[in-house]
Every structure is written in C-alpha cells, then in structure tokens.
Amino acid sequence: MIYRRIYSLLFVAPLIAGAYASGLFYIAEQSVIPITLFQLALIGSLGGFILLKFLTVDSTFELYGMEKWYALFLGLIFFSCIYTPERQQAVFYAIRFSVLLGMTYLIYNIIQKTEHLQIGVYAFIGSGVVVALINLYQIYANPEILAFNYLKQGMQIIRSTGTENDPNVFASNFFTPILICVAWMGTTTKKWFRLVLFGLIGIMLASVLLSYSRSAWISLFVGILTIQLIQRKNPILLYCAIAFFIVFLVSPTFQNLVLSLWDRIVGLFLGGGDDSTKFRVVLAMGALTMIADSYLLGVGFQGFSTYFQYLYPPQKTQWIFEPHNDFYMVFAELGLLGFLLFVVIMYLIFRQALQSMRWFRGIREYAWIQAVGLGFLASFISYMIFAQFISGLMLNSLFMILVALIFSLSKFTDQSRI
C-alpha cells in the first residue's frame, strides 16, 4: 500500500531534519521551554503514527527487547530525584530522557521495510550536508568567525546563526552521516558514486575540522579507523591524501589552516598550559570524591555540577563545573548500580549493532545495507569515544535516533523479510 512507502518520509525524516535544525535555532527561544523543530516533528510523527494505526485498524506495537533495562535505569533516575540537589532540573531532564527513549520505539515501529530505513539514512546524510554547507558559507562570508573559533578552541564557536554554541556537540552531529558515507565508499563499485560520496564527506568533514573540537576529531578518527579495519580495501584514506596534497599545494589559506589545526592537535597531547585538558582531570577527581562521599550511592541525577561547586569553587576552575564524561557523570550521580546499568545498556546496543553488521557482510546484493550497518556500528563507537570527553549522551536526540535505527536494522537480518 502507498502509505507504507511514505512511513519514513513523513515520520522519520522530519525527526532527523528537525534534530539538525534544532541545533541551529529555537522557534521560541524566550519561552519557558524553548520550542524547537525537533519537538514539533516528534509531536507530528507521534500524532501521525497514532492516526495511521487508527485508520488501518492496527493495534500492534513492537518492542526491541531493551525494556527491562530502560525501566530499571529510569526507575533509578526518578528515585534519585528525591535526594538530588537539583530536583526541578532533574525531573525535567528525566522526563526528557524518557521521551527520547519512547521516540526510539516510535521509530522502530515506523520502520517496517528496508525502503523506510533507506529514507532515514538519506535524511541523515542530506541534513548533515545542508547544515555543513550553511556553516561553511557563514564562515566564508565572515572570515572573522574562523579567527574567533580558533581563539576559543574547544570552548565556544560562532557558526551559521552567528550565535555562540558548543562546538563539540555541533561537530558530533556529523558522526553518523560521515561514517555511513565512508562505509558506503567501501561497498560500492561505481567510481562516480565514490567521488560523490567523497564530496559529501569532504563538506561535512570540513565543518567538523573548523569546529576546532578535538574530542570530535578523535572520535571521528576512531570511527573511520574502525571501518578501515573491517573493510580493509576502503579507498577513503587514499582519496583524502590526494585531495589534501592538491589543496595544500595550491592554497596558502589552507596551509595556514592546517598549521592552526596541527597546533590544536599537538596541544591535546602536550597538555601543559591547556586549560581544557587540565580541568577535565579536576572534574574526574571531583567525580571520584562524590562517589566516595555518597558511599557509592551517587549524589542524585543532575546533581554533579552543584556538588562539584561545593568541592571546587567556580573561581578556581574558570567557571567550568559541567561533567565532561558521561560514564563518570553517571557513576557520580547514580552510584554503582546506575553505572552498571548504564554500561550494560551501552553494551547491549553495541552488541546489536555488531551482530547486524556481521550478518550482512559478504552479501553483495545488500551492499548498501552493509554500508549502513557498518556506518551505524562505527557511529556508535565514535559516540562512545566522544562520551569520554563531553557529557550529554542521554539527551542527544541524534544519538537516540541512531539507537533506534540500529535496532530497526536488526529486523532485516531475517533474509525472508528483505
């Protein structure tokens, strides 16, 4: 039926596009709860899904097997809201996390055919390219932005809207589309299509590099390396090397940019006077203190920043008190039990991504699904690396969409359904 062919086009694609657009601007920024396109897309998708179920007299709702782990983790989060020093914020973000988990089940139920998944993948790549182009145009039109981003390395960034935003989260939004394209380059045999994919990768990769986010660079490098180790014959590194040397030789501007990026990379490993590296260590030490002080029970959901300021006055940490690692943040806020549940959930998602990728390897007629499965796996690994530098994974809408797509892909491991 026709309605089945437009599932993803009407429901999943707007969610992905809305998540990217929400990183650019708010619709009603001055309201109590800023309204974003992602929120509107989520409400529209849910309403459309319910209406579709009603019209087709279909009451089925599929689950992907993570319910008990989600329930235990959410239960602990809501329980910790009783004793957290930030109760109002904790309840708000707990509800937000619950909604995002619900969204993963909505997407899982919407995607019933490979055509639906394909539209979702195209939406990821298309949205990533559009946002990257907007960002690159803004930098090209305003060269002072590049100087500002370099001076504020890793702290804040000016991009398409002319406002200051977290460069790390902005750069991480390109993990999935870049890595799907990289994996796709290794499965396609059409040289012209490889060049198209490389062009799309170059556009998005340029936006990531100009964010000066070292955490995103490392995470993306690990993701690409993962694809290289699995595919072995992927030409992406050769293409990158050729393009790099050509542009480097003919463009003095690019030469200066490379030198500034190199300084940024060297600063990551030398540490020395790098405040970003120094205060990450202080934050980790603060997390260990919270864990010990709470007898491994945790200080409560969203309580990290408040408790950290009791331990280290903001004046001594240059007003840096937000956690920079999801794993020690969960340990400090939810204790040993919460940490173990979080690790188990991440492991089960990783295992599912790995199993789906392995199932489609070697089946040439499903080359694009091979690329998608490997791209999803590499993206998840990149997000796990990224979570060691920047917190906020549980509230990242694009990461949660990736989780939904990973489990949706597992539906098609039964060859009879493809």
Side-chain angles (χ1 to χ4, degrees):
M1 302 177 92
I2 295 178
Y3 71 83
R4 289 192 176 275
R5 295 183 179 276
I6 60 174
Y7 257 14
S8 292
L9 184 61
L10 293 180
F11 300 146
V12 176
L15 283 175
I16 296 172
Y20 273 99
S22 296
L24 296 176
F25 60 88
Y26 292 108
I27 295 177
E29 189 171 2
Q30 302 302 321
S31 61
V32 177
I33 301 178
I35 300 173
T36 66
L37 286 177
F38 173 72
Q39 294 167 355
L40 296 179
L42 181 56
I43 294 172
S45 296
L46 178 60
F49 178 75
I50 294 173
L51 178 61
L52 189 60
K53 285 289 186 179
F54 176 78
L55 294 176
T56 57
V57 195
D58 182 6
S59 60
T60 60
F61 191 81
E62 298 176 315
L63 304 175
Y64 58 77
M66 293 289 290
E67 300 72 47
K68 64 180 180 181
W69 299 108
Y70 289 160
L72 288 172
F73 193 58
L74 281 174
L76 183 60
I77 287 176
F78 279 103
F79 177 76
S80 74
C81 291
I82 298 173
Y83 57 85
T84 182
E86 295 289 344
R87 292 182 181 84
Q88 186 175 0
Q89 178 175 297
V91 171
F92 174 75
Y93 282 119
I95 294 174
R96 182 178 169 186
F97 179 46
S98 302
V99 170
L100 289 176
L101 286 178
M103 177 198 66
T104 66
Y105 284 94
L106 174 64
I107 294 174
Y108 184 76
N109 279 267
I110 289 172
I111 296 178
Q112 297 295 331
K113 295 180 179 294
T114 54
E115 291 87 349
H116 307 156
L117 179 65
Q118 196 169 26
I119 291 174
V121 170
Y122 290 157
F124 243 123
I125 296 173
S127 299
V129 170
V130 169
V131 172
L133 284 172
I134 293 173
N135 182 57
L136 293 175
Y137 172 77
Q138 184 71 17
I139 292 175
Y140 176 80
N142 302 276
E144 66 275 9
I145 291 178
L146 187 60
F148 178 89
N149 293 344
Y150 175 69
L151 293 174
K152 295 294 184 179
Q153 297 174 9
M155 297 178 62
Q156 57 192 20
I157 185 174
I158 293 181
R159 53 181 173 82
S160 53
T161 58
T163 57
E164 297 179 359
N165 299 274
D166 187 336
N168 304 291
V169 176
F170 174 67
S172 72
N173 291 342
F174 298 102
F175 288 170
T176 301
I178 288 177
L179 293 171
I180 290 175
C181 289
V182 170
W184 212 338
M185 282 188 66
T187 60
T188 183
T189 57
K190 300 175 182 178
K191 292 184 178 180
W192 68 267
F193 190 49
R194 282 183 178 178
L195 291 174
V196 171
L197 290 172
F198 182 70
L200 299 178
I201 293 169
I203 292 171
M204 292 183 284
L205 190 59
S207 201
V208 173
L209 290 174
L210 293 178
S211 71
Y212 285 92
S213 170
R214 295 175 298 180
S215 53
W217 295 350
I218 294 172
S219 304
L220 193 56
F221 175 77
V222 172
I224 294 175
L225 184 61
T226 299
I227 295 174
Q228 288 290 301
L229 292 175
I230 293 175
Q231 290 186 333
R232 298 185 184 278
K233 295 182 179 180
N234 193 311
I236 181 66
L237 294 182
L238 176 62
Y239 280 47
C240 286
I242 294 174
F244 175 84
F245 282 113
I246 291 176
V247 178
F248 186 81
L249 290 175
V250 302
S251 175
T253 301
F254 184 72
Q255 294 170 10
N256 294 330
L257 176 61
V258 170
L259 292 176
S260 70
L261 293 174
W262 176 252
D263 290 340
R264 183 76 172 136
I265 295 172
V266 171
L268 173 65
F269 296 101
L270 295 181
D274 190 333
D275 289 337
S276 177
T277 303
K278 178 175 65 178
F279 290 126
R280 276 183 166 88
V281 175
V282 176
L283 288 164
M285 295 301 296
L288 293 176
T289 302
M290 294 179 211
I291 294 166
D293 287 351
S294 63
Y295 301 99
L296 301 182
L297 296 177
V299 298
F301 188 56
Q302 294 296 310
F304 183 99
S305 297
T306 301
Y307 204 101
F308 182 82
Q309 293 178 73
Y310 296 151
L311 301 174
Y312 301 92
Q315 298 87 343
K316 294 185 178 181
T317 60
Q318 295 185 8
W319 300 95
I320 297 175
F321 44 77
E322 295 293 333
H324 279 56
N325 181 299
D326 268 305
F327 287 84
Y328 72 55
M329 180 196 74
V330 171
F331 202 169
E333 293 183 350
L334 301 178
L336 179 60
L337 178 58
F339 176 75
L340 293 176
L341 287 172
F342 184 71
V343 170
V344 168
I345 289 172
M346 294 300 110
Y347 166 74
L348 291 175
I349 297 171
F350 169 77
R351 187 180 68 175
Q352 185 60 68
L354 183 62
Q355 288 176 347
S356 297
M357 183 276 298
R358 284 176 172 173
W359 196 94
F360 289 107
R361 287 188 68 188
I363 308 177
R364 284 310 305 180
E365 57 266 36
Y366 305 135
W368 78 269
I369 301 184
Q370 291 180 46
V372 169
L374 182 53
F376 287 169
L377 175 64
S379 298
F380 183 80
I381 292 174
S382 293
Y383 273 113
M384 289 299 100
I385 300 299
F386 187 71
Q388 310 309 311
F389 300 98
I390 302 294
S391 62
L393 205 60
M394 292 185 291
L395 301 176
N396 188 317
S397 56
L398 287 172
F399 172 73
M400 298 302 287
I401 292 174
L402 172 65
V403 171
L405 294 179
I406 286 173
F407 283 100
S408 297
L409 180 62
S410 68
K411 291 182 177 184
F412 312 120
T413 55
D414 179 0
Q415 192 171 4
S416 64
R417 297 189 63 179
I418 300 179

